Amino acid sequence: METWTVETDDGGGQLEVHTFRPASNASIPGSHAPAEPSGVVVIHGTLVTDSLYWPFARNLSIMLKRPVHCYNRRGRGRSAPQPAGYSAETEIADLQVVMEKSGSTDVVAHSYGGFVALQAARTAKINRLVTYDAAVSLSGNLHGRWRPELEAAVTAGQLDHAWAHLVQGLGTAGPISYLPMGALRMLSILSAQTRLGAEMRALLPTAVAEMRAVLDADAHLHDFTKLATPTLMLSGGWSPSYFAETGRVLAGAVPAIDFAIVPLQFHEGPLRPGKRLAARMARFLSNGSRSPAAAT
């Protein structure tokens, strides 16, 4: 793995990038190395850093025989903080910078990252795109998921309360999402003793800004009708149903979009061990045309 940085185009600082390359044969001394194939950029979701996606990115790189680049979005790792005027446009510009500097043409995106990628594909040049549980607000369908109590709790420093509202509102933690608030607050307290749990709590302020960005960019079907990027929208069979509903609606209205369910997968599918999901995405990215997967 290689770690490097790129400068943002708004003067806000840098973005931390981690690159995975497939093992290659040693070159013959004195020969010219072959040109490296174009890369794939992975955009992570909310409340996490890109490090959780490293095993997935490594598998994808090996399967595609291409470099795969993960980057920490604003507010994480050595990347710049979220600016005061943070919005979807901030993320779109950052994605374009990473794609340009890494020589990438394709994008794989999870959850909030899927929202960023689909917004970017409406105006930016992306060769092929795969999303998993893309958090797109379509005709207001995600407004009911927003809880004002979340932002109030973050502002007051009540992070256990904020985490509980986030988990219940989004429903992305599987059966845990349906626990009572008191039980969720206790789980937050316990998980804060772990490195991952403490990291998630620290990222709660970024989640507030990101959820607002999704709602502010609420779109309608006609906003995507001119999308030309061949796109495969995937959703986990055990993910909250609203992800699949959005994917089906978009695939039914936009010729460039296909949708498919990946059975036996939770919302955090790209973060879990195993190669099945990466293999499904690699097949699509390896094709010169759209995926043969039919909408389900």
Side-chain angles (χ1 to χ4, degrees), residues 17-294:
V17 186
H18 298 96
T19 296
F20 298 86
R21 288 185 168 86
S24 57
N25 294 328
S27 60
I28 300 173
S31 66
H32 294 287
E36 185 174 65
S38 62
V40 179
V41 173
V42 175
I43 316 175
H44 66 75
T46 196
L47 273 193
V48 292
T49 66
D50 79 321
S51 63
L52 295 182
Y53 294 76
W54 293 352
F56 169 81
R58 185 177 292 107
N59 288 335
L60 198 59
S61 177
I62 293 170
M63 292 173 186
L64 292 172
K65 297 181 173 60
R66 296 166 61 187
V68 174
H69 312 277
C70 299
Y71 69 101
N72 270 321
R73 295 192 292 98
R74 305 266 186 138
R76 296 154 173 85
R78 292 194 293 152
S79 291
Q82 289 178 335
Y86 175 85
S87 68
E89 285 68 31
T90 306
E91 296 284 2
I92 292 170
D94 287 351
L95 171 61
Q96 290 177 305
V97 167
V98 174
M99 291 185 70
E100 177 186 353
K101 297 300 184 182
S102 65
S104 296
T105 56
D106 298 342
V107 174
V108 170
H110 176 218
S111 195
Y112 182 81
F115 156 74
V116 172
L118 283 167
Q119 293 294 325
R122 291 166 56 186
T123 56
K125 173 61 177 174
I126 298 176
N127 186 42
R128 267 167 266 165
L129 167 63
V130 185
T131 70
Y132 182 82
D133 282 355
V136 178
S137 183
L138 198 61
S139 300
N141 69 322
L142 292 189
H143 282 261
R145 298 282 168 180
W146 168 253
R147 293 189 175 184
E149 297 93 340
L150 166 61
E151 185 171 8
V154 169
T155 301
Q158 299 171 343
L159 299 185
D160 297 318
H161 197 65
W163 186 85
H165 276 296
L166 182 71
V167 169
Q168 268 198 351
L170 296 181
T172 52
I176 292 175
S177 303
Y178 304 101
L179 292 174
M181 286 291 293
L184 286 174
R185 286 195 295 270
M186 183 57 64
L187 278 177
S188 177
I189 294 171
L190 294 175
S191 68
Q193 308 306 311
T194 67
R195 183 191 63 80
L196 179 59
E199 187 174 80
M200 291 178 68
R201 284 164 59 94
L203 289 171
L204 277 166
T206 67
V208 171
E210 290 164 8
M211 289 182 68
R212 284 204 170 276
V214 170
L215 301 183
D216 289 344
D218 184 69
H220 300 277
L221 278 178
H222 63 77
D223 294 317
F224 291 96
T225 52
K226 293 183 179 179
L227 189 148
T229 298
T231 300
L232 175 62
M233 296 185 69
L234 298 174
S235 186
W238 292 334
S239 297
S241 61
Y242 61 85
F243 291 115
E245 291 165 4
T246 299
R248 287 193 183 96
V249 169
L250 284 172
V254 183
I257 298 178
D258 279 325
F259 169 75
I261 291 285
V262 186
L264 309 179
Q265 290 283 337
F266 285 102
H267 175 68
E268 65 272 20
L271 312 182
R272 286 177 172 254
K275 301 179 180 179
R276 181 182 177 192
L277 189 56
R280 183 68 175 273
M281 295 180 177
R283 285 198 299 271
F284 175 77
L285 294 175
S286 295
N287 289 338
S289 58
R290 293 173 66 205
S291 165

